[in-house]
Short mmCIF file of all heavy atoms in Angstrom, two decimals:
data_model
loop_
_atom_site.label_atom_id
_atom_site.label_comp_id
_atom_site.label_asym_id
_atom_site.label_seq_id
_atom_site.Cartn_x
_atom_site.Cartn_y
_atom_site.Cartn_z
N GLY A 25 -8.38 21.56 -11.69
CA GLY A 25 -8.85 21.98 -10.38
C GLY A 25 -9.98 21.22 -9.86
O GLY A 25 -10.08 19.97 -10.00
N GLN A 26 -10.87 21.83 -9.32
CA GLN A 26 -12.15 21.25 -8.60
C GLN A 26 -13.32 21.15 -9.63
O GLN A 26 -14.44 20.92 -9.18
CB GLN A 26 -12.49 22.04 -7.39
CG GLN A 26 -11.40 22.14 -6.33
CD GLN A 26 -11.27 20.73 -5.73
OE1 GLN A 26 -12.10 20.19 -5.08
NE2 GLN A 26 -9.95 20.17 -5.99
N GLY A 27 -13.13 21.50 -10.90
CA GLY A 27 -14.22 21.46 -11.78
C GLY A 27 -15.03 22.69 -11.70
O GLY A 27 -14.60 23.68 -10.98
N ARG A 28 -16.33 22.64 -12.22
CA ARG A 28 -17.12 23.84 -12.02
C ARG A 28 -18.55 23.38 -11.43
O ARG A 28 -18.82 22.18 -11.66
CB ARG A 28 -17.39 24.52 -13.37
CG ARG A 28 -17.95 23.59 -14.40
CD ARG A 28 -17.78 24.11 -15.79
NE ARG A 28 -17.99 22.96 -16.79
CZ ARG A 28 -19.13 22.88 -17.43
NH1 ARG A 28 -20.10 23.77 -17.33
NH2 ARG A 28 -19.31 21.82 -18.29
N GLN A 29 -18.98 24.30 -10.54
CA GLN A 29 -20.31 23.84 -9.96
C GLN A 29 -21.38 24.17 -10.83
O GLN A 29 -21.55 25.28 -11.38
CB GLN A 29 -20.47 24.59 -8.66
CG GLN A 29 -21.58 23.95 -7.76
CD GLN A 29 -21.71 24.70 -6.43
OE1 GLN A 29 -21.81 25.92 -6.38
NE2 GLN A 29 -21.77 23.93 -5.38
N ILE A 30 -22.37 23.21 -11.08
CA ILE A 30 -23.52 23.51 -11.85
C ILE A 30 -24.79 22.91 -11.21
O ILE A 30 -24.66 22.03 -10.37
CB ILE A 30 -23.45 23.10 -13.34
CG1 ILE A 30 -23.28 21.55 -13.44
CG2 ILE A 30 -22.37 23.73 -14.03
CD1 ILE A 30 -23.34 20.94 -14.78
N ALA A 31 -25.96 23.42 -11.54
CA ALA A 31 -27.17 23.01 -11.04
C ALA A 31 -27.44 21.54 -11.43
O ALA A 31 -27.08 21.13 -12.59
CB ALA A 31 -28.39 23.89 -11.34
N LEU A 32 -27.99 20.75 -10.58
CA LEU A 32 -28.27 19.35 -10.95
C LEU A 32 -29.10 19.18 -12.28
O LEU A 32 -28.95 18.32 -13.08
CB LEU A 32 -28.92 18.57 -9.77
CG LEU A 32 -29.04 17.03 -9.95
CD1 LEU A 32 -27.68 16.47 -9.87
CD2 LEU A 32 -29.98 16.44 -8.94
N ALA A 33 -30.01 20.21 -12.37
CA ALA A 33 -30.84 20.23 -13.60
C ALA A 33 -30.08 20.35 -14.86
O ALA A 33 -30.41 19.92 -15.91
CB ALA A 33 -31.79 21.34 -13.43
N ASP A 34 -28.84 20.97 -14.74
CA ASP A 34 -28.10 21.13 -15.92
C ASP A 34 -27.05 20.03 -16.20
O ASP A 34 -26.32 20.05 -17.27
CB ASP A 34 -27.32 22.54 -15.81
CG ASP A 34 -28.20 23.55 -15.89
OD1 ASP A 34 -29.23 23.64 -16.52
OD2 ASP A 34 -27.86 24.67 -15.19
N VAL A 35 -26.97 19.05 -15.31
CA VAL A 35 -26.03 18.01 -15.48
C VAL A 35 -26.59 17.08 -16.51
O VAL A 35 -27.73 16.79 -16.55
CB VAL A 35 -25.82 17.19 -14.18
CG1 VAL A 35 -24.90 16.07 -14.36
CG2 VAL A 35 -25.30 18.14 -13.09
N THR A 36 -25.76 16.62 -17.49
CA THR A 36 -26.13 15.66 -18.44
C THR A 36 -25.41 14.35 -18.41
O THR A 36 -24.32 14.35 -17.89
CB THR A 36 -25.97 16.24 -19.84
OG1 THR A 36 -24.55 16.68 -20.06
CG2 THR A 36 -26.83 17.44 -20.23
#
Side-chain angles (χ1 to χ4, degrees):
Chain A
Q26 296 294 294
R28 58 197 165 101
Q29 193 179 50
I30 60 174
L32 190 69
D34 293 329
V35 177
T36 54

